Amino acid sequence: MNCCPHGVISFHHGDNRVNRGGPPGFWEVYHEVPKTGFIIQRLNQDLDGGDVLFRGSVTTSWIYTLNRVKLFEISNRFLKIVVDRLLSDNEHLVPEEKKPYSYPLLTVPSPTVSFIYLFRLGLRIFGKLLNRFLKINDRWQVAYQFTDSWADFSLRNSVRIQNPKNRFLADPFIIYRNNKHYCFVEDFDYTVKRGRISVCEITRDGHKFLGIALEEKFHLSYPFIFEFSGELFMCPDTHEKNEIRIYKCEEFPMVWKFHKTIMRGVPAVDTSIFEFEGLWWMLSNIDYSDARDFACQLHVFSSKNPLSESWAAHKGNPVIFDPLRARNAGLINDGNKVFRAYQRQGFNRYGEAVGVAEIQSLTLNNFEEVEKFHIEPEFFRDIEGTHTFNAKSGLVVFDTVSLKRQ
């Protein structure tokens, strides 16, 4: 163990706080745990109890083999990152503080456990095939409510916006302009299998669908809008282009034109751009592996100009490596405070719930946020999840998902 100057560096494909032993990625699927962890450790004599130098988690897949492959694929690149940091003269990796391990040592599943797993897997496959045959799938829907406090209201009293035929609306963002609230949404069309950006006008008397504001030959969603130098810009999710792109408002609210690409060759989703304490910051969910699990890593970049093509990566990237709180779900500016809404993924459920955290420290070397509250999908009887939450000028918007026929 002491033959190398920095020790022997190794993976453990599991969260060693609750999972020691193996096989990698199996028990999380068996117990339907929503995330599967891994660590990079400096080995000692205790099995999977070495000095933890890096920790991360991926979204648990519903099939063991897929979960194992994804876990290996995503964790692989971070071994090189840890080794580079160990050998760097400018960085010093401090191992995690150790705590007692109180769980049993996991082993290869018995024939009984294997049979139970295969039986459950068969039921899942049958359910998915039946839903496909009946054309039952996730249908997102946007809802809203006027309130004096975006952090203190009853979601069950909200008004739902009816989805257009063969389409659904999701990812709502608000712009308050000319004493009116405009809600920009992902407008997914089942006939072409991709989203575009549409706009609704919302008043206390009701809502009105204004039409499509932005459409491309690739999928668009998460229409994050920011203001710079007196003009409005949109940074929608354009991950199918492998770029982060900016669109400029030419005629509010319906005319937006492509302005520039600010980051190329990056598999990024749900990007938020905002100003905080003298710098512009970009929060984006990125997965550089072929697994494309966009729910588990939050990356931060900074620049003096939001339209710049030169963004500096945060030294702590990914600042969050956890599918229960990494993926962006909105951004709320309340006075001098900034709140990040985030998604929580469930087992075999994308967008199970939403949490809101206040960003308390955001510097070139540090990122800290504190959870304020979370929203469970219990306020409407027919919903399975929720994954976007935004508020501005007395209006709160969010989305929900239900299993419905197309």
Side-chain angles (χ1 to χ4, degrees):
M1 295 295 180
N2 299 318
C3 65
C4 302
H6 294 280
V8 178
I9 309 303
S10 171
F11 281 114
H12 168 56
H13 292 100
D15 185 342
N16 72 326
R17 296 169 296 193
V18 296
N19 179 334
R20 298 189 184 184
F26 173 80
W27 292 103
E28 291 85 353
V29 180
Y30 182 79
H31 291 298
E32 299 186 354
V33 179
K35 66 177 181 178
T36 301
F38 73 91
I39 62 168
I40 299 174
Q41 59 182 336
R42 181 186 289 112
L43 292 180
N44 60 20
Q45 301 296 334
D46 186 15
L47 178 63
D48 300 328
D51 296 331
V52 177
L53 304 175
F54 188 89
R55 179 184 299 280
S57 299
V58 305
T59 308
T60 302
S61 300
W62 61 283
I63 300 177
Y64 159 55
T65 49
L66 179 60
N67 197 47
R68 178 181 174 126
V69 167
K70 182 168 70 172
L71 181 62
F72 289 172
E73 175 71 25
I74 291 177
S75 62
N76 250 356
R77 68 183 299 268
F78 291 97
L79 183 63
K80 179 182 183 302
I81 291 174
V82 168
V83 171
D84 286 345
R85 289 177 178 176
L86 279 173
L87 300 179
S88 172
D89 294 330
N90 299 320
E91 294 194 54
H92 180 60
L93 280 180
V94 179
E96 282 187 5
E97 180 182 352
K98 292 190 175 183
K99 298 178 180 179
Y101 182 73
S102 58
Y103 296 87
L105 185 65
L106 300 176
T107 59
V108 175
S110 67
T112 301
V113 169
S114 298
F115 174 79
I116 293 172
Y117 163 73
L118 291 172
F119 179 75
R120 290 174 178 169
L121 178 60
L123 290 178
R124 290 188 201 120
I125 293 174
F126 175 76
K128 290 178 181 293
L129 291 176
L130 182 62
N131 284 345
R132 179 176 295 183
F133 175 76
L134 297 175
K135 294 185 178 180
I136 296 175
N137 49 34
D138 284 352
R139 291 271 290 178
W140 291 91
Q141 187 175 17
V142 170
Y144 67 88
Q145 184 178 155
F146 285 91
T147 176
D148 294 330
S149 172
W150 62 267
D152 181 18
F153 70 103
S154 296
L155 280 83
R156 69 178 185 275
N157 297 322
S158 302
V159 178
R160 301 198 209 192
I161 298 177
Q162 187 66 34
N163 282 327
K165 186 177 180 180
N166 292 323
R167 289 147 60 190
F168 69 70
L169 307 181
D171 293 355
F173 284 80
I174 307 168
I175 290 295
Y176 187 67
R177 202 85 162 182
N178 303 322
N179 296 318
K180 295 180 180 180
H181 291 91
Y182 297 88
C183 184
F184 289 76
V185 298
E186 172 195 349
D187 184 346
F188 187 88
D189 189 335
Y190 283 107
T191 59
V192 295
K193 305 296 184 184
R194 67 171 180 262
R196 56 235 181 148
I197 306 303
S198 292
V199 189
C200 294
E201 182 182 329
I202 301 177
T203 68
R204 293 184 180 274
D205 296 325
H207 55 271
K208 178 172 64 175
F209 188 77
L210 299 182
I212 298 168
L214 180 61
E215 186 170 16
E216 294 277 18
K217 294 181 179 179
F218 48 86
H219 178 73
L220 297 174
S221 60
Y222 199 83
F224 187 88
I225 298 175
F226 63 94
E227 186 172 350
F228 177 66
S229 295
E231 297 186 284
L232 287 178
F233 298 89
M234 182 190 299
C235 181
D237 180 339
T238 57
H239 71 273
E240 287 188 1
K241 287 287 288 184
N242 228 33
E243 297 177 348
I244 298 178
R245 295 159 63 100
I246 299 294
Y247 294 80
K248 184 178 179 180
C249 183
E250 300 288 340
E251 184 179 335
F252 187 83
M254 301 305 300
V255 182
W256 299 76
K257 300 295 184 182
F258 172 69
H259 185 64
K260 67 186 303 186
T261 296
I262 60 173
M263 199 172 287
R264 303 177 189 275
V266 54
V269 305
D270 296 356
T271 299
S272 300
I273 298 175
F274 62 100
E275 191 174 15
F276 185 77
E277 296 186 351
L279 280 176
W280 283 87
W281 299 90
M282 179 195 299
L283 307 182
S284 191
N285 299 112
I286 299 174
D287 181 9
Y288 290 103
S289 76
D290 292 333
R292 292 299 189 263
D293 183 351
F294 293 114
C296 60
Q297 299 176 52
L298 178 63
H299 290 248
V300 176
F301 303 87
S302 61
S303 176
K304 294 182 179 179
N305 186 324
L307 305 182
S308 169
E309 296 180 33
S310 178
W311 288 81
H314 195 279
K315 290 187 177 180
N317 279 345
V319 296
I320 297 177
F321 205 148
D322 183 346
L324 303 189
R325 50 188 288 260
R327 185 152 180 171
N328 291 324
L331 196 80
I332 300 170
N333 288 280
D334 189 351
N336 295 324
K337 296 181 178 181
V338 177
F339 298 84
R340 184 181 74 94
Y342 60 86
Q343 296 183 30
R344 187 186 76 209
Q345 313 306 326
F347 180 80
N348 202 25
R349 162 50 61 199
Y350 163 67
E352 180 182 64
V354 163
V356 174
E358 181 184 348
I359 297 176
Q360 294 197 329
S361 176
L362 182 53
T363 67
L364 299 178
N365 299 312
N366 192 45
F367 175 85
E368 292 181 15
E369 63 179 21
V370 176
E371 180 181 309
K372 307 301 289 186
F373 60 84
H374 59 274
I375 297 171
E376 300 294 337
E378 305 291 340
F379 47 91
F380 295 148
R381 285 188 291 179
D382 60 340
I383 64 174
E384 303 285 334
T386 176
H387 81 343
T388 308
F389 181 86
N390 280 294
K392 185 181 289 291
S393 302
L395 178 65
V396 172
V397 292
F398 55 92
D399 58 13
T400 61
V401 63
S402 305
L403 282 172
K404 293 182 179 180
R405 295 196 68 175
Q406 183 175 322

